[in-house]
Amino acid sequence: MEIKIQKTTAPKAKPADETKLGFGHIFTDHMFVMNYDAGQGWHDARIIPYGEISLSPAAMCLHYGQEIFEGLKAYRTADGSVQMFRPDENFKRMNVSAERMVIPQIDEEFVLGALKQLVEMEKDWVPHTDGASLYIRPFIFATDPYVGVKPADHYLFMIILSPSGAYYSTGLNPVKIYVEEKYVRAVRGGTGFAKTAANYAISLKGQDEAHNQDYEQVLWLDGVEQKYIEEVGSMNIFFVIDGEVITPQLTGSVLPGITRKSSIELCKKWGMKVTERRITIQEVAEAYDAGKLDEVFGTGTAAVISPVGHLKWGDKIMTINDNKIGAVSQKLYDTMTGIQYGKLPDEFGWIFKI
Ligand code: COI
């Protein structure tokens, strides 16, 4: 499929101070759009000026949330070039999410090529500052003007780009996490593994209550027994207990994170014992009491590697590693960002150059 290009006639000024980008507030000059109509498939691929879109008030995505998305980043290297980290994995996961949400499959190779073309056009927007990057948000949503509940016949696929800094305002400083016991994020047979808006909407109430208690994020427990640890919503979670790296296994209600998968691969390469299994919050608390909970950290595209300094479970407040970043978290952060920003060799073939 050909990609039509319409360039903006009114390019915006680039952010003057890259240390104050924040996360996800600023958008570049262009975006990628493609339509789907039943019987016709995906068509009309185009890169057009970034701007508002017109949608029927009856558009099905607004009523029943038939939507999926992805998150990845483009990084500026020391020689000025631009590269992405495992973008093929994002489009592969997008098709898994699409299948669950009854959204038509995309041609992964085609959209990767379209993304490459878009980032190439917008490469001057990729920040030059360490720790900042161009956040990439591909998404698909149902557009049929219809208020009945059914899988839609019409969709838009879009990619927008946002020069961004750290996701958490604390940067690499440890975050405070609150173990949620009242609400659940995902249930057996639900959509927990898919990257769909509903999983984020359902998390807002818990997050809001955590914020009111001065905690940044919520650690979700399983939706059946509320015993087993799942994920943080904005990131997957890892525990280092007595030298062993443990992360909840992918049971269907946890997002299969690409940074999660890459962290497991790195730790294994370093000869560490890494286990994907079910782990209860009780076990974590017992390890803490026994002085064996060495580190807790989250992994995600937006969050990168995010150390957890405090974990609150009911009345119990666990202060982890003296509220300091631990050795495994630091090594993972340095290696992951080293590969992403081209400072370390790409031994795994994870880098996609623009
Ligand atoms: C990402 O890490 O890219 C995500 O999509 C998570 C979102 C909370 C920003």
Side-chain angles (χ1 to χ4, degrees):
M1 194 189 335
E2 186 208 348
I3 301 176
K4 290 213 176 79
I5 311 260
Q6 184 199 337
K7 286 204 171 168
T8 180
T9 51
K12 294 177 278 200
K14 312 270 181 315
D17 184 352
E18 287 186 353
T19 62
K20 296 204 172 73
L21 292 172
F23 184 90
H25 297 291
I26 302 163
F27 299 95
T28 68
D29 285 325
H30 298 91
M31 59 188 184
F32 175 80
V33 188
M34 169 167 86
N35 293 70
Y36 178 92
D37 296 303
Q40 195 179 355
W42 290 107
H43 64 92
D44 272 320
R46 55 209 185 267
I47 293 175
I48 57 174
Y50 179 90
E52 292 182 4
I53 53 171
S54 114
L55 211 53
S56 162
M60 287 172 73
C61 62
L62 300 176
H63 302 272
Y64 310 116
Q66 201 189 4
E67 190 267 1
I68 56 172
F69 70 95
E70 273 303 324
L72 66 158
K73 287 173 173 172
Y75 307 86
R76 169 99 45 207
T77 65
D79 67 6
S81 64
V82 171
Q83 57 188 35
M84 295 190 282
F85 183 75
R86 311 189 82 173
D88 48 330
E89 290 285 340
N90 290 90
F91 291 122
K92 199 156 96 186
R93 184 172 66 185
M94 196 167 207
N95 266 339
V96 174
S97 303
E99 201 279 329
R100 178 62 181 84
M101 300 303 290
V102 205
I103 287 175
Q105 296 283 295
I106 49 166
D107 176 338
E108 293 166 29
E109 230 171 276
F110 173 76
V111 290
L112 183 53
L115 172 60
K116 184 175 182 218
Q117 208 170 325
L118 178 66
V119 174
E120 171 88 55
M121 258 177 87
E122 302 290 70
K123 63 179 184 295
D124 290 348
W125 284 91
V126 181
H128 294 75
T129 307
D130 228 19
S133 57
L134 187 70
Y135 187 74
I136 300 166
R137 171 53 58 87
F139 55 113
I140 303 178
F141 55 98
T143 57
D144 302 29
Y146 176 59
V147 291
V149 181
K150 70 170 188 76
D153 288 325
H154 307 278
Y155 298 87
L156 274 182
F157 174 105
M158 303 184 67
I159 306 176
I160 56 174
L161 308 174
S162 173
S164 293
Y167 185 68
Y168 297 123
S169 54
T170 49
L172 193 55
N173 293 323
V175 288
K176 290 174 70 180
I177 296 216
Y178 168 103
V179 181
E180 180 58 65
E181 293 186 283
K182 189 156 74 173
Y183 308 109
V184 297
R185 170 189 175 272
V187 290
R188 195 186 294 152
T191 58
F193 67 94
K195 213 157 170 60
T196 183
N199 292 338
Y200 297 80
I202 202 171
S203 75
L204 295 176
K205 182 72 176 159
Q207 192 178 314
D208 193 45
E209 291 185 9
H211 281 172
N212 292 340
Q213 295 188 46
D214 202 25
Y215 281 78
E216 267 132 7
Q217 292 290 318
V218 168
L219 180 61
W220 296 102
L221 301 177
D222 74 279
V224 179
E225 294 170 82
Q226 289 187 263
K227 262 171 55 178
Y228 296 97
I229 293 168
E230 299 224 307
E231 60 155 275
V232 177
S234 53
M235 54 188 190
N236 293 108
I237 192 89
F238 283 73
F239 302 91
V240 185
I241 299 179
D242 212 9
E244 178 183 358
V245 180
I246 303 166
T247 192
Q249 74 189 85
L250 303 176
T251 50
S253 43
V254 174
L255 185 84
I258 294 156
T259 314
R260 173 190 182 278
K261 176 172 164 170
S262 309
S263 299
I264 293 171
E265 287 170 45
L266 281 172
C267 287
K268 284 190 175 161
K269 186 188 156 228
W270 296 331
M272 304 180 80
K273 184 168 182 212
V274 187
T275 316
E276 293 175 69
R277 65 168 169 88
R278 298 189 90 187
I279 177 168
T280 62
I281 184 65
Q282 181 74 37
E283 180 183 340
V284 169
E286 281 166 11
Y288 177 78
D289 290 340
K292 291 183 176 175
L293 181 60
D294 309 332
E295 286 179 52
V296 181
F297 60 89
T299 63
T301 296
V304 196
I305 304 294
S306 189
V308 176
H310 290 98
L311 203 53
K312 182 180 189 302
W313 178 38
D315 294 334
K316 190 176 182 71
I317 297 181
M318 299 174 246
T319 303
I320 296 132
N321 194 37
D322 258 345
N323 195 31
K324 292 196 193 85
I325 181 163
V328 179
S329 320
Q330 185 74 60
K331 189 170 178 187
L332 274 174
Y333 179 85
D334 291 344
T335 310
M336 200 77 75
T337 56
I339 297 170
Q340 289 167 339
Y341 288 88
K343 293 178 191 157
L344 290 176
D346 173 29
E347 287 171 29
F348 291 87
W350 286 341
I351 292 302
F352 186 94
K353 289 196 179 294
I354 300 296

